[in-house]
Amino acid sequence: VIKCKAAVAWEAGKPLSIEEVEVAPPKAHEVRIKIVATAVCHTDAYTLSGADPEGCFPVILGHEGAGIVESVGEGVTKVKKGDTVIPLYIPQCGECKFCKNPKTNLCQKIRVTQGKGVMPDGTSRFTCKGKQIYHFMGTSTFSEYTVVADISVAKIDAAAPLDKVCLLGCGISTGYGAAVNTAKVEPGSTCAVFGLGGVGLAVIMGCKVAGASRIIGIDINKDKYAKAKEFGATECISPQDSKKPIQEVLAEMTDGGVDYSFECIGNVGVMRAALEACHKGWGVSVIIGVAAAGQEISTRPFQLVTGRTWKGTAFGGWKSVDSVPKLVTEYMSKKIKVDEFVTHTLPFDKINEAFEQMHSGK
């Protein structure tokens, strides 16, 4: 058993608490990882807020991390002690019907136990003050050591800087993949990106890599525009600058609507606007943001009858074990940006400050 520091969420709506936790050794087909770097994501904040129907407490959150394999359980063959890895919140077992289908990346092998906050055998590897602590998204990267299933880990280039590539564990891969895998943006197309946080910037990067000729960034926070343009946005607009609905503004700007739109916020009203901002006959809108529990999307069916397509994406459609190492290689060869997404680097015990920075849009 390893004793180490972790940020524990004891209950919903309260700040994280840095505690000493015990991390049990990995069982069969499990891997214990020394986490070197982790990022914070709105999905962690969503569960911490209490709005997540799957949220269990007390829990160690975190799902964008990178580290070094400390030990492996019986039967683990894909990684060994000392390997550099990224934990994966969407695993890839290679055996289930989802893994065998090229149309999806949604491996279901451990979905049920992962959703309940436990390892595949139904138990936790974390304890603190004599209490069992739940796992989160199969990763729990807000701990100096974590245990994951062997299908939830990608071995990456040992030369990669872990304080940067940890972001490929969620946000960057999700946005970039939404553009290149889910929407399949084509050269010369016009795109609209709603929400210019980390995921939105990654969508812009994907649209640019795919050869889009016009990329319109949409956000009410104008402080985000300069960064969006650095990533490839050709122009940025705020819905608050017009009395007309944003979908009408975009239709006027683009001679009838955009070819592709992306919702990177998790707001069901914006999801509708993003669909309705698409061009009749061929427009495709991709939902990336996670809406709160119980919320529903709506539009007039005529929007779809007249040739618009509404899609969703999780982790950008990447089959995780296969794709994450390739994304790291693309970063190392300068095909995709990663460093530019990092605005602040804080010591682990300042993790609550990191959440405050994220909520304030900084």
Side-chain angles (χ1 to χ4, degrees):
V1 175
I2 289 177
K3 288 188 177 180
C4 68
K5 280 197 301 187
V8 177
W10 288 107
E11 55 183 303
K14 295 280 167 67
L16 301 177
S17 175
I18 301 290
E19 306 279 3
E20 183 180 77
V21 299
E22 295 86 41
V23 185
K27 294 188 183 179
H29 294 288
E30 295 177 1
V31 178
R32 186 160 61 181
I33 303 167
K34 180 184 191 342
I35 297 289
V36 175
T38 186
V40 297
C41 170
H42 278 284
T43 309
D44 304 304
Y46 167 66
T47 298
L48 185 58
S49 74
D52 180 355
E54 272 195 347
C56 340
F57 295 89
V59 63
I60 295 172
L61 299 170
H63 63 284
E64 287 183 324
I68 310 290
V69 174
E70 178 273 333
S71 59
V72 299
E74 192 186 327
V76 175
T77 55
K78 299 274 175 70
V79 294
K80 61 186 188 304
K81 182 179 176 173
D83 282 349
T84 305
V85 293
I86 290 177
L88 307 167
Y89 70 89
I90 293 183
Q92 186 187 351
C93 71
E95 295 162 0
C96 70
K97 68 179 179 183
F98 288 80
C99 282
K100 287 180 172 166
N101 190 322
K103 294 179 181 175
T104 184
N105 63 331
L106 296 175
C107 173
Q108 297 296 295
K109 183 81 179 277
I110 59 172
R111 180 70 197 94
V112 174
T113 49
Q114 182 173 315
K116 289 177 179 164
V118 290
M119 294 300 289
D121 72 345
T123 63
S124 168
R125 302 292 163 268
F126 297 119
T127 48
C128 180
K129 298 179 180 170
K131 284 189 179 157
Q132 172 184 290
I133 308 291
Y134 287 109
H135 293 249
F136 178 66
M137 290 174 76
T139 52
S140 289
T141 60
F142 293 171
S143 175
E144 291 178 323
Y145 286 86
T146 190
V147 178
V148 304
D150 63 352
I151 59 173
S152 304
V153 62
K155 182 182 172 182
I156 61 161
D157 184 343
L162 300 187
D163 61 330
K164 306 293 192 295
V165 296
C166 62
L167 290 166
L168 292 170
C170 178
I172 298 179
S173 306
T174 296
Y176 179 55
V180 299
N181 297 332
T182 309
K184 297 187 168 60
V185 171
E186 296 135 334
S189 50
T190 297
C191 302
V193 181
F194 292 77
L196 301 176
V199 172
L201 294 176
V203 171
I204 290 171
M205 177 171 76
C207 293
K208 188 178 176 183
V209 166
S213 60
R214 197 168 173 197
I215 304 169
I216 305 163
I218 300 131
D219 203 300
I220 55 176
N221 181 350
K222 295 186 178 182
D223 295 341
K224 295 187 177 269
Y225 293 178
K227 186 67 108 171
K229 287 176 179 168
E230 277 175 43
F231 276 85
T234 52
E235 61 224 281
C236 293
I237 57 172
S238 169
Q240 296 175 337
D241 286 351
S242 171
K243 290 198 171 74
K244 291 180 182 170
I246 188 70
Q247 51 267 56
E248 284 181 30
V249 174
L250 285 161
E252 284 172 13
M253 287 171 66
T254 57
D255 184 28
V258 298
D259 302 314
Y260 300 98
S261 71
F262 301 87
E263 199 279 350
C264 312
I265 301 161
N267 178 311
V268 292
V270 177
M271 291 172 190
R272 177 173 190 159
L275 175 78
E276 295 177 358
C278 284
H279 202 289
K280 183 190 286 191
W282 63 78
V284 174
S285 185
V286 181
I287 293 173
I288 311 169
V290 176
Q295 294 197 322
E296 297 183 349
I297 48 173
S298 61
T299 190
R300 288 181 305 121
F302 194 67
Q303 294 284 340
L304 301 178
V305 171
T306 51
R308 293 171 193 82
T309 303
W310 221 343
K311 301 180 89 168
T313 187
F315 197 55
W318 300 107
K319 291 209 183 251
S320 58
V321 173
D322 292 343
S323 304
V324 169
K326 292 176 186 162
L327 290 167
V328 171
T329 303
E330 285 194 5
Y331 156 64
M332 301 291 275
S333 62
K334 303 271 194 288
K335 185 185 170 187
I336 59 171
K337 297 181 196 281
V338 174
D339 297 8
E340 294 81 354
F341 285 87
V342 180
T343 56
H344 298 73
T345 303
L346 298 165
F348 186 36
D349 55 10
K350 296 267 171 60
I351 190 162
N352 287 308
E353 277 183 38
F355 276 90
E356 285 161 24
Q357 298 276 13
M358 180 173 68
H359 286 304
S360 69
K362 292 179 182 166

